[in-house]
Amino acid sequence: MWYLQNAKFHFLQLRRNAHGISPFLIPLKIPEVSSSYCSAPLQEHEQESRYRQKGHEPKEKAEPSIGSPARIQKLIASQTDPLLAKEIFDLASRQPNFRHSYATHHTLILKLGHCRHFSLMNAVLSNLKSLDYSISPSLFTHIIQIYGDANLPEKALKTFYTILEFNIRPHVKHLNCILEILIADNNYLRPAFDLFRSAHKYGVSPNTNSYNIMMRAFCLNGDLSIAYTLFNQMFKRDILPDVESYRILMQGLCRKSQVNKAVDLLEDMLNKGFVPDTLSYTTLLNSLCRKKKLKEAYKLLCRMKVKGCNPDIVHYNTVISGYCKAGRAADACKVLEDMPSNGCLPNMLSYQNIVGGLCNQGMYDKAKNYTMVMISEGFHPHFSVMHMLIKGFCEHGKLEDACEVLIELLRHGNVPYTGTWAEILGRICEVDDAEAIEEALKQVLKVEMKSDTRIVDAGAGLEEYLMRKIKTRSRAR
C-alpha cells in the first residue's frame, strides 16, 4: 500500500507543476488505506465476500490509468526541471501495461542533455537501444551539438560510434558536426583527421564541407601542404570544391606571405567559372597592401566589378589605407574620388584615412578641404585626426586656418580634444599682434559654447600667459 500512497503523492506534485497540463492526466482513485498493513488482506476478503453474496462474480481489478503516452510526453516536455521530468518518466514506466513513445524518450534525452545531466541522458539512451523503435538520426545530431556546446570533444567523437551501436548509418551531417567540434581544440586535430579518413568504412562519404573543415584546420595550424593535398584530392574523388574551398587556401597562403600564389589561385578560380566572394577579395587586398604591392591591389580592385563582385566600402578603405600608410596620400585621394561613380560612397573611415595621410605628408591645405567635406556630410571625426590637422597648421604659422577648422568642428557639435585647445590658445598667446589675437578669439567665441567643449581646461594656459604679461609690464614701469 505504500506504493499507492507514493504514487498519489507524485501525481499531486505533478499537477502542481504542470499548469494547463493536468487535464492530460486521469486522477488516480486511491482507496483509503488502514494504518495497519496486516489488516488489508482481511478487508479485501470481506469486500469480496459481500460482493459474492449479492450474486456477482468477482471481476479482474482495473488498473489505474495515468494517461496516454502522448499526454505523458507533453507533460514531460512542459517541465522546466529536468530531474522532475525524469521522475515523471520513471513513475510512468513502473505502471503496468504502459509503454513510453519514442517521442517521450527523444524529449527527455534532449532535456537532460541541455541541462548537462549526461549520466541520466546516457541511461535513457541505453534503455532506448533495447526497444524496437525507429530512431531519428536527428537525435544524435542534437546530442553531438550538446557535447560541443559543453566543450566535450571526446564525448562528441564517441557519439559517432554510439550511432553505429544502434544499427544506424551515420550521416555526413553527423561527421561534419563532430569534425567542427574536434578541430576547435588543437589537441583533437589528429583524431579529427583519423575520423575523416576512416569515415568511408562506416558508409559515410565526406562532402565538400567536410574537406573545407579539415583544410581550414590545417591552414590555421600552419600545415599548408596537407591542406593543398586535401584540395587536390577533391578533384580526384569527383568532389567539386566551392568558393569557400578556394578562399580557405588563399587565406592560408596569405598568412604565409605567399600572396603571389594566392593571386594565382584566384585566377585559377576565375578560369573554372567561380565567382569569388567579397571576403576572398578582402583577404587578397589586405595581403597585397601589407606587401606594399599597391599597383596590384588597385588593379584587383578595378577588376572586381568586371568579374561579378562589386567592391564595397571595406575593399575601398583597404586600398586607401594601404596608399596612406605607404606615404602615397595623393593616390589614395584618387581612389576616394572614384568611389561614387562605382556606386560606393566614402564613410568616416575613408575620410579619416585621407586626412591623416595628407597630414603625415604635410599637405594640410588639402587635408583641410577633405575635413570640411567630411564634417558637412555629418561625420564626427576622431579627435586625434583633428588634433593632428590643427597642430600642423599651428606649427606652420597658419593660425587662421587652425581657427577655421576649430570653428567648423564646434559649429557641428564636435568636441575638440583638450590638447587641441591648449595648442591653439598657446599659439594665439604667442602672437604679438593684439588685433590678430582679438579677431581669432572673436571668431571662436561666436560659436555657441557647451560644457563639453572643454575650453576651461585649456584656460589655465591662457591665464598663466596673461599673468606673465602683466608682471612683465609692471616691472617695466
Side-chain angles (χ1 to χ4, degrees), residues 9 28 30 112 116 119 136 157 170-171 174 219 251 284 286 302 311 333-334 355 368 386 411:
F9 168 78
L28 292 174
I30 308 298
L112 291 168
R116 303 194 178 185
S119 58
S136 169
L157 177 59
H171 291 186
H174 297 136
C219 283
Q251 289 173 334
L284 290 176
N286 269 318
C302 295
C333 292
K334 293 178 182 178
V355 172
K368 174 188 167 186
M386 293 301 96
R411 183 178 290 119

Side-chain angles (χ1 to χ4, degrees), residues 247-258:
R247 175 168 29 85
I248 289 168
L249 269 187
M250 283 190 281
Q251 289 173 334
L253 288 166
C254 289
R255 288 191 196 95
K256 292 284 189 178
S257 298
Q258 299 179 26

